[in-house]
Amino acid sequence: IKMFSQSGTWNLEIKDDGKGFNVENTNAGNGLANMSVRTKELKGVLSVRSNQDMGTTICAKFEIENINY
């Protein structure tokens, strides 16, 4: 898990080296759907990259100016 700021954005990156999954076919569970909803509520962007047998990377990016402390 990484958290960092870069070029006016606050970034959260979660990465693993597991078995991966097909991003186009994610019908099981609510995890990714909930992450997407919560990211949008904070005016952010969520991206998910996964490859079979190569793991998964989930990134959430938020414009720093949109973050209320």
Side-chain angles (χ1 to χ4, degrees), residues 26-55:
T26 58
N27 296 327
N30 292 317
L32 292 174
N34 285 340
M35 282 189 248
S36 180
V37 167
R38 291 179 178 151
T39 301
K40 287 178 185 173
E41 286 174 351
L42 296 170
K43 300 178 184 170
V45 176
L46 184 74
S47 65
V48 179
R49 294 186 315 266
S50 187
N51 292 306
Q52 199 70 30
D53 299 321
M54 296 184 69

Side-chain angles (χ1 to χ4, degrees), residues 16-32:
D16 73 23
D17 60 354
K19 65 179 185 173
F21 63 94
N22 181 344
V23 175
E24 301 299 319
N25 187 17
T26 58
N27 296 327
N30 292 317
L32 292 174

